[in-house]
């Protein structure tokens, strides 16, 4: 059992402090057992950063990946995820994020792709998602998850060449069956998990601090320091990054 005091002490030692802006992604089960569960994570973060700081968490109304049928596979589908209704209590974002967005004082946009925010600049979650956190010295805190949960990475993907994007886009036939206003789908996978390359580069540059809190591997870093590596690679080495050939 990880106690609330142990959790709080570990976060403070890691560098989280009053007035800080945090983008938080988490897996409660990664702790093993945590005293007080999801509420402990949220309350402790609020206690440390105080209302002078800000906390942002994902509020995407998406299900976990749904198993593919044989017909799906014939269509080339590799991922299908249901867009959930506004009243859905549980999503693929995890119980910590799902609890956070429903708490009093939390701001959250109405769209299925949204961010929830609390604190001094929490309302920026509705205005611009993670824009404020990314461009104003925000820090990322990953509790039991890795860079593939870091929503801020998507904010620079406008630099991805169109032929890379289109290589994994769903066909018209797929979109007729799984309509885009109800489903998120993908067809195919790139040869390389590019975000792990970015994570490795960030570690090599000494940008990521990490610790164990119980069984939970915890990563902490400046958002833009890591996301800017991704932006640079998308601008200068996108095909190598994704393990693909330039077809332009």
């Amino acid at each position: 059992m990880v106690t609330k005091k142990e959790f709080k002490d570990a976060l403070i030692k890691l560098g989280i402090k009053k007035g800080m802006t945090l983008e938080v992604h988490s897996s409660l089960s990664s702790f093993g057992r945590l005293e007080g569960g999801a509420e402990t994570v949220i309350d402790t973060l609020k206690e440390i950063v105080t209302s002078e700081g800000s906390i942002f968490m994902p509020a995407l109304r998406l299900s976990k990946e749904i198993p593919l049928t044989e017909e799906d596979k014939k269509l080339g589908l590799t991922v299908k995820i249901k867009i959930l209704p506004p009243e859905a209590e549980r999503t693929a974002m995890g119980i910590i994020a799902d609890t956070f967005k429903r708490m009093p004082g939390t701001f959250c946009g109405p769209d299925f792709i949204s961010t929830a925010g609390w604190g001094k600049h929490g309302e920026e979650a509705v205005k611009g998602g993670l824009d404020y956190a990314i461009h104003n010295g925000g820090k990322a805190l990953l509790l039991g998850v890795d860079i593939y949960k870091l929503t801020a990475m998507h904010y620079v993907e406008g630099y991805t060449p169109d032929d890379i994007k289109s290589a994994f886009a769903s066909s018209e036939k797929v979109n007729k069956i799984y309509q885009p206003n109800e489903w998120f789908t993908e067809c195919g996978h790139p040869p390389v998990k590019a975000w792990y390359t970015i994570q490795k580069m960030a570690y090599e540059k000494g940008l990521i601090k990490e610790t164990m809190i119980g069984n939970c591997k915890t990563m902490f870093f400046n958002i833009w320091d890591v996301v800017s590596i991704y932006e640079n690679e998308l601008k200068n080495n996108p095909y190598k990054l994704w393990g693909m050939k330039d077809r332009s």
Side-chain angles (χ1 to χ4, degrees):
M1 170 75 78
V2 177
T3 67
K4 179 176 180 178
K5 184 181 186 303
E6 289 170 337
F7 178 60
K8 186 173 185 177
D9 289 347
L11 293 182
I12 292 172
K13 186 176 180 180
L14 196 59
I16 297 174
K17 57 188 178 181
K18 180 179 179 179
M20 188 169 277
T21 296
L22 293 176
E23 174 190 355
V24 182
H25 298 273
S26 56
S27 167
L28 182 60
S29 63
S30 69
F31 289 94
R33 293 177 64 202
L34 174 65
E35 177 188 14
E39 288 81 3
T40 288
V41 175
I42 298 164
D43 292 346
T44 303
L45 288 170
K46 288 179 177 180
E47 288 172 13
I48 298 174
V49 304
T50 77
S51 59
E52 289 300 304
S54 305
I55 300 170
F56 297 93
M57 294 192 194
L60 287 68
R61 285 190 282 107
L62 298 174
S63 73
K64 294 182 179 181
E65 288 190 27
I66 295 173
L68 301 173
T69 66
E70 288 303 314
E71 188 61 33
D72 291 335
K73 295 174 184 177
K74 290 177 183 177
L75 290 169
L77 270 169
T78 51
V79 174
K80 70 175 182 182
I81 294 170
K82 191 82 172 75
I83 296 173
L84 300 173
E87 63 272 15
E89 291 190 2
R90 293 300 308 274
T91 73
M93 302 305 105
I95 193 169
I96 295 171
D98 288 342
T99 301
F100 175 74
K101 74 179 181 182
R102 295 194 302 271
M103 284 184 160
T106 301
F107 297 93
C108 187
D111 299 331
F112 80 90
I113 300 293
S114 293
T115 301
W118 172 90
K120 187 173 183 179
H121 299 286
E123 199 167 358
E124 294 291 338
V126 179
K127 297 176 182 177
L130 289 169
D131 279 336
Y132 179 84
I134 293 168
H135 299 295
N136 289 276
K139 309 290 186 181
L141 178 66
L142 306 183
L143 297 166
V145 297
D146 60 30
I147 198 168
Y148 266 87
K149 294 295 184 181
L150 186 66
T151 306
M153 293 282 279
H154 291 295
Y155 281 62
V156 297
E157 289 191 320
Y159 294 106
T160 307
D162 289 340
D163 56 337
I164 293 180
K165 293 179 184 178
S166 63
F168 309 105
S170 298
S171 66
E172 288 186 17
K173 189 173 183 180
V174 167
N175 287 336
K176 284 182 179 179
I177 299 171
Y178 297 105
Q179 297 183 12
N181 64 328
E182 297 180 358
W183 293 85
F184 171 81
T185 58
E186 286 183 357
C187 290
H189 287 302
V192 173
K193 285 188 172 291
W195 288 18
Y196 284 140
T197 300
I198 303 303
Q199 182 171 280
K200 181 174 183 289
M201 292 170 72
Y203 268 114
E204 290 171 349
K205 291 175 179 287
L207 299 175
I208 300 175
K209 292 178 67 176
E210 69 171 59
T211 192
M212 295 296 296
I213 307 177
N215 295 326
C216 174
K217 180 180 176 180
T218 302
M219 300 164 64
F220 180 61
F221 51 88
N222 184 287
I223 299 170
W224 182 244
D225 283 350
V226 173
V227 172
S228 64
I229 298 174
Y230 186 37
E231 180 185 73
N232 182 68
E233 292 302 304
L234 288 176
K235 287 179 177 178
N236 298 298
N237 303 295
Y239 298 97
K240 180 181 178 182
L241 179 66
W242 288 103
M244 299 172 66
K245 291 183 179 181
D246 185 348
R247 295 182 295 176
S248 60

